[in-house]
């Protein structure tokens, strides 16, 4: 039997994730306030990602909307920045359970390549992104797991993303046909 969380527990998780993203945004933003940055370091999640933040620079976008005109989808990506010298779409996640392998992140790689596809096609962005990075932070401050996605891995997930999008589009179309009957 699957164990469900109470609605208040889910809300707490959501709020923790939201706060983590806000903290990251203030740390990575060029207009960061040093006092605010020091306060953010008190968070377990931020302590968890410290070793990864050292390799992140050249931030190009934070909490930024993207859309793929041709494939008709939109999203809000977390970050585009250089990680170890490679421009990546970076997706910051929080988890209560360790996720040492990319397979443990479930659909997160699909989300990353969807953002990549959109940003590479969106005229609002003057750059192309070939790599992805999923970072899973932990509340207790233990070192985050990072999952770098090279071009080959991104290509594999892009194929899976297109299949998922096609399934979704067909399902939507069928539901709309049923509604109009």
């Amino acid at each position: 039997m699957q164990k469900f969380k109470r609605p208040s527990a889910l809300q707490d998780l959501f709020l923790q994730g939201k706060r983590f993203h806000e903290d990251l945004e203030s740390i990575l933003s060029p207009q960061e306030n040093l006092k605010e940055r020091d306060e953010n370091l008190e968070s377990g999640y931020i302590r968890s990602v410290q070793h990864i933040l050292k390799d992140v620079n050249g931030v190009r976008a934070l909490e930024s909307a993207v859309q793929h005109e041709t494939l008709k989808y939109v999203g809000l990506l977390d970050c585009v920045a250089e990680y170890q010298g490679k421009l990546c779409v970076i997706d910051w996640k929080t988890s209560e359970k360790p996720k040492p392998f990319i397979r443990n992140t479930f659909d997160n790689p699909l989300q990353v390549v969807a953002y990549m596809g959109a940003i590479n096609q969106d005229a609002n962005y003057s750059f192309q992104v070939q790599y992805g990075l999923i970072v899973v932070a932990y509340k207790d401050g233990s070192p985050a797991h990072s999952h770098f996605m090279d071009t080959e891995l991104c290509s594999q997930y892009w194929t899976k993303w297109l299949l998922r999008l096609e399934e979704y589009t067909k399902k939507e179309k069928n539901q709309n046909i049923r509604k109009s009957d």
Side-chain angles (χ1 to χ4, degrees):
M1 188 162 144
Q2 192 173 9
K3 195 167 117 181
F4 292 98
K5 294 190 184 289
R6 298 181 330 274
S8 62
L10 286 174
Q11 189 174 15
D12 289 347
L13 283 175
F14 172 77
L15 291 172
Q16 287 173 7
K18 186 174 185 292
R19 176 71 182 158
F20 172 58
H21 278 84
E22 289 168 354
D23 290 349
L24 280 169
E25 192 172 353
S26 73
I27 287 169
L28 294 170
S29 175
Q31 309 90 309
E32 72 176 273
N33 172 331
L34 289 176
K35 181 179 183 286
E36 201 174 293
R37 182 180 186 155
D38 290 342
E39 288 169 6
N40 293 339
L41 292 176
E42 294 171 19
S43 154
Y45 292 119
I46 296 299
R47 284 195 317 275
S48 179
V49 298
Q50 279 304 301
H51 68 289
I52 292 163
L53 288 174
K54 285 186 248 174
D55 290 327
V56 175
N57 56 39
V59 175
R60 305 266 185 102
L62 286 170
E63 297 290 328
S64 191
V66 292
Q67 68 176 10
H68 198 298
E69 293 266 339
T70 312
L71 297 177
K72 308 278 188 249
Y73 67 85
V74 297
L76 185 67
L77 61 80
D78 290 346
C79 180
V80 176
E82 287 180 23
Y83 173 72
Q84 297 181 340
K86 292 178 168 47
L87 190 62
C88 297
V89 166
I90 303 175
D91 205 20
W92 304 99
K93 298 294 183 189
T94 59
S95 178
E96 305 225 331
K97 295 179 185 157
K99 297 194 177 186
F101 304 105
I102 197 166
R103 70 177 175 268
N104 303 131
T105 66
F106 306 105
D107 285 345
N108 295 148
L110 298 180
Q111 187 178 9
V112 168
V113 297
Y115 292 148
M116 287 172 62
I119 209 167
N120 288 342
Q121 187 270 328
D122 191 324
N124 294 310
Y125 298 91
S126 60
F127 50 85
Q128 297 283 293
V129 183
Q130 305 303 321
Y131 304 99
L133 180 68
I134 299 167
V135 180
V136 184
Y138 304 107
K139 186 178 185 175
D140 67 1
S142 60
H145 285 110
S146 61
H147 305 290
F148 179 76
M149 299 168 62
D150 63 15
T151 54
E152 186 180 326
L153 192 56
C154 287
S155 179
Q156 291 170 18
Y157 278 110
W158 178 250
T159 301
K160 290 178 183 179
W161 164 244
L162 291 177
L163 290 170
R164 178 80 56 92
L165 187 60
E166 185 179 17
E167 284 173 23
Y168 174 79
T169 305
K170 281 181 186 173
K171 194 185 289 185
E172 282 290 297
K173 199 174 187 180
N174 288 340
Q175 285 178 348
N176 289 339
I177 289 170
R178 280 196 292 266
K179 284 179 187 173
S180 64
D181 285 349

